[in-house]
Amino acid sequence: MATDPRRKSGLGVMSGMFGLLGRRGSDVEEASEGPERSAAQDPFERVDRPARDVARLLAESPIFQGLNDRELMMIAEFGHIARCHGGTTCWSAGDPAQYLVQVREGRLEMRVSILPGNDHTVRVAKAGDLLGVEAVFGAPSYHLAAVATERTAVVRLPIAELRRVYEAGRPAAIKLYVAFAGVIGTQVKDATLEVGRLLEKTSIMPTQGSGVGSSELAMKDLLAGKV
């Protein structure tokens, strides 16, 4: 698909992503949609921008470059831009999966709890990365917690709306399905390798004849900086 020259720079011609997202007052949408979290519960601050701006941001990702202008605008119509500050827990493992999230600026760490009070970062999502892809394929909840370690801007697409696109059988559905399948395959492979490295590093996997208790102690010693 030929690249629309309007898409090349996205919103980069403006004063940075947080210049765009730094507006408050009437620019921030207070109401949520349908069964989604209320504004008071949502850790993200939604920003009122037209669908064409959302489309430009999505178009910069290889995942959405297979869509033509009409299909991209159809997806952008139900998406929105949002932001959060560093230190924000965007969602926890087991929370209902409501959005497919494309990181636009900043950093989200995907974490798993390995011991009470101790989390391990499985992967880091930066600009252009997608999160929540497993929910598009039917997962009811997020598998990992997501924590913003710095100011972060994202585009969010409601999972329910994406599923309606699939159910309608539109050409865009096939393009997105193939693209999302590639993303989730890569993420599963990377997560599997990371778990293997974690097990090897911490010796959490018991050797033959050893008990679970010794493995837990080894993990605690590692986390406490004793080994």
Side-chain angles (χ1 to χ4, degrees):
M1 181 180 73
T3 302
D4 187 330
R6 294 172 300 174
R7 295 182 180 177
K8 290 183 179 179
S9 60
L11 301 182
V13 296
M14 299 185 180
S15 57
M17 180 61 68
F18 266 88
L20 170 67
L21 302 185
R23 302 179 181 182
R24 296 183 180 271
S26 61
D27 281 355
V28 179
E29 295 184 0
E30 296 297 338
S32 61
E33 300 173 359
E36 297 169 5
R37 293 181 179 181
S38 67
Q41 297 172 313
D42 193 343
F44 282 95
E45 185 177 40
R46 294 176 58 164
V47 178
D48 183 20
R49 299 298 300 175
R52 65 177 178 271
D53 286 348
V54 177
R56 288 172 184 171
L57 291 175
L58 292 176
E60 294 177 354
S61 169
I63 299 301
F64 297 96
Q65 287 178 357
L67 303 180
N68 59 39
D69 290 344
R70 180 182 58 81
E71 293 168 338
L72 190 63
M73 184 58 69
M74 176 188 68
I75 300 299
E77 286 287 349
F78 56 75
H80 62 266
I81 301 169
R83 67 175 184 180
C84 67
H85 294 285
T88 300
T89 298
C90 302
W91 63 79
S92 299
D95 282 356
Q98 296 180 343
Y99 297 106
L100 177 74
V101 176
Q102 181 195 46
V103 180
R104 294 305 313 170
E105 183 174 298
R107 168 190 172 111
L108 290 178
E109 290 192 357
M110 310 306 296
R111 299 176 180 177
V112 61
S113 179
I114 51 179
L115 286 173
N118 292 288
D119 294 336
H120 177 74
T121 298
V122 175
R123 69 177 185 272
V124 176
K126 298 180 180 179
D129 291 340
L130 289 180
L131 301 174
V133 183
E134 67 276 8
V136 178
F137 291 93
S141 59
Y142 295 114
H143 294 162
L144 300 171
V147 178
T149 55
E150 59 189 70
R151 294 192 305 175
T152 299
V154 302
V155 172
R156 298 196 299 185
L157 301 175
I159 297 297
E161 295 294 341
L162 286 172
R163 287 177 179 168
R164 289 191 185 101
V165 173
Y166 288 162
E167 292 167 0
R170 298 179 180 181
I174 298 175
K175 298 175 184 179
L176 287 176
Y177 185 92
V178 172
F180 290 155
V183 171
I184 200 168
T186 299
Q187 290 182 356
V188 168
K189 180 186 72 175
D190 291 346
T192 300
L193 292 174
E194 180 61 25
V195 169
R197 286 192 290 267
L198 175 64
L199 293 176
E200 181 179 2
K201 181 178 180 180
T202 61
S203 300
I204 196 171
M205 184 178 292
T207 57
Q208 186 174 5
S210 64
V212 176
S214 60
S215 298
E216 291 177 347
L217 289 174
M219 172 70 83
K220 290 179 180 178
D221 287 342
L222 176 71
L223 295 171
K226 297 179 181 178
V227 294

